Amino acid sequence: MQGNSVTFSARNAMPLSFRASGAPRPLPVERISRPASLGAALRGRTTTRCGSPDDIAADWIQQNMGSGAVVRKQNAGYSDWASAYTFETENGSRYFVKISPGRDESMFAGEAEGLKAMFATQTLRIPEILHYGPLTGRGGSFIVMEHLTFGGRADPEEFGRQLALMHKAEPAVAEARNGQFGFSVDNTIGATPQPNGWMDNWVDFFRERRLAHQLRLARDSDLNKLGDKLLPKLDDFFSDLHVAPSIIHGDLWSGNMSAVDGQPAIFDPATYYAHHEAEFGMAWCASFSPGFYSAYHEIIPKEPGFEERKQLYLLYHYLNHYNLFGGGYRSQCVSIMRSLA
């Protein structure tokens, strides 16, 4: 298994993981041997202005990581907007690289800043971000991160404990430390834009930036009529409840979690500062065990109204799946909205 190859999942398809173990055939390995090898071509150069996207990413690694030239590249998955690779250097170091010739760095900014914020909590195993930026002279962008070797599933109780500790950690940014909800950059949930502009009140944020946003995208008159009934009532689900900003992964399903040397690890985030319970909006696709929840709630006790609020958080993700894929997700949205409105 090639480390972070497990992490790269298509953003505009049904949840799908590019796990090496699930690939229909071995992924190709390219030994880089452009004139006198890429390593020789890069030695002594300070900037790659018009090389291939691979050259530009390899150049950044050589100039900044102190591990020698890139000598080997292995494909690690793709989506409709980017390709992922493992780059190996002369001293044996490996890096996980995503390259997007057709997109600016804003897509990678959302991923990078989310991983950085979770990494700062020093709880779950998170890939460290080393760099993201433009493909200078070509258009497009790339991201370089720590290469992790993922394998299997972590102990569910340890996963629950570490996730709760991540949610309890002091926010890494001033706005969240001051009680605001949102994030420093917008990002995506699947292929759907996820607006994260800061707001002082969680219910207002969830109403406007999450549910109302998805309903506007749906352009479904029946769903919007149900939304007109439900959205004004959201405060009722949070009465007598103090909500503080917690960093959440935001898209926590089984394809975005694994283990590194037995430690629970998560990746491919849609991160923002939220009510910690919003983390469980993808629980229907995560297979969290009773032991996971028990360990989590030992650290963050379950508060009254948890199950009803969980339906609200499920609704956000069902609406997103309806906007992405249509089909049966609409009936699940209708069912939840009718039960809560």
Side-chain angles (χ1 to χ4, degrees):
M1 184 170 292
Q2 297 297 320
N4 296 59
S5 61
V6 72
T7 76
F8 197 54
S9 55
R11 285 296 199 179
N12 67 338
M14 274 295 292
L16 173 67
S17 174
F18 286 85
R19 293 177 185 271
S21 60
R25 59 182 179 275
L27 293 168
V29 175
E30 177 182 345
R31 293 191 179 278
I32 311 240
S33 56
R34 299 183 180 91
S37 87
L38 178 63
L42 289 174
R43 290 188 187 97
R45 268 172 31 192
T46 58
T47 309
T48 298
R49 293 291 181 188
C50 56
S52 72
D54 294 359
D55 290 337
I56 294 170
D59 190 21
W60 186 91
I61 290 171
Q62 176 180 311
Q63 299 298 327
N64 293 277
M65 298 311 299
S67 57
V70 172
V71 296
R72 187 171 180 266
K73 179 186 75 173
Q74 181 168 359
N75 293 336
Y78 62 92
S79 74
D80 65 339
W81 63 276
S83 297
Y85 306 93
T86 296
F87 279 24
E88 185 173 335
T89 60
E90 289 173 312
N91 75 352
S93 297
R94 293 193 294 175
Y95 304 92
F96 186 64
V97 179
K98 295 183 187 180
I99 297 174
S100 179
R103 298 285 188 96
D104 66 26
E105 63 190 272
S106 61
M107 289 287 285
F108 287 142
E111 177 176 11
E113 296 305 321
L115 289 172
K116 286 179 181 179
M118 293 190 297
F119 184 90
T121 69
Q122 294 296 295
T123 52
L124 294 157
R125 195 69 172 87
I126 310 290
E128 183 178 7
I129 295 299
L130 304 173
H131 175 75
Y132 67 93
L135 291 167
T136 307
R138 292 187 58 92
S141 55
F142 72 107
I143 187 171
V144 182
M145 66 183 77
E146 175 187 13
H147 183 281
L148 298 177
T149 300
F150 296 105
R153 296 288 293 269
D155 175 77
E157 294 185 4
E158 180 62 12
F159 185 18
R161 282 190 291 269
Q162 293 301 318
L163 183 64
L165 290 172
M166 186 181 88
H167 290 166
K168 283 177 65 70
E170 182 181 25
V173 298
E175 290 89 346
R177 287 195 297 272
N178 291 332
Q180 292 185 294
F181 299 89
F183 200 51
S184 51
V185 296
D186 292 338
N187 49 29
T188 59
I189 179 70
T192 307
Q194 184 169 257
N196 291 322
W198 296 104
M199 295 183 73
D200 293 327
N201 180 277
W202 167 247
V203 179
D204 292 342
F205 178 94
F206 187 67
R207 179 189 289 116
E208 175 58 28
R209 304 271 195 258
R210 295 298 178 257
L211 295 185
H213 171 65
Q214 291 286 350
L215 288 167
R216 285 191 292 269
L217 293 176
R219 298 182 179 179
D220 183 307
S221 60
D222 291 335
L223 287 180
N224 276 279
K225 287 177 183 177
L226 288 169
D228 289 341
K229 294 180 180 179
L230 176 61
L231 296 188
K233 297 181 179 180
L234 290 188
D235 293 273
D236 297 343
F237 298 94
F238 296 87
S239 58
D240 300 321
L241 185 69
H242 173 70
V243 180
S246 293
I247 192 70
I248 68 169
H249 177 282
D251 191 17
L252 196 59
W253 65 283
S254 58
N256 290 342
M257 59 182 80
S258 187
V260 177
D261 298 327
Q263 299 177 55
I266 56 177
F267 34 83
D268 277 0
T271 297
Y272 60 106
Y273 287 93
H275 182 206
H276 64 90
E277 293 176 5
E279 191 76 275
F280 303 116
M282 282 291 288
W284 53 279
C285 206
S287 301
F288 294 131
S289 70
F292 165 89
Y293 282 112
S294 177
Y296 181 91
H297 289 303
E298 284 181 7
I299 295 173
I300 301 180
K302 183 186 294 188
E303 297 188 85
F306 174 88
E307 296 301 333
E308 283 190 313
R309 290 189 299 275
K310 185 176 178 181
Q311 293 301 304
L312 288 172
Y313 297 136
L314 291 172
L315 175 61
Y316 173 62
H317 290 277
Y318 281 134
L319 284 168
N320 184 53
H321 277 65
Y322 173 59
N323 283 323
L324 290 173
F325 314 119
Y329 294 107
R330 185 181 187 280
S331 63
Q332 290 164 311
C333 296
V334 170
S335 177
I336 291 176
M337 294 173 80
R338 283 179 176 168
S339 71
L340 298 178

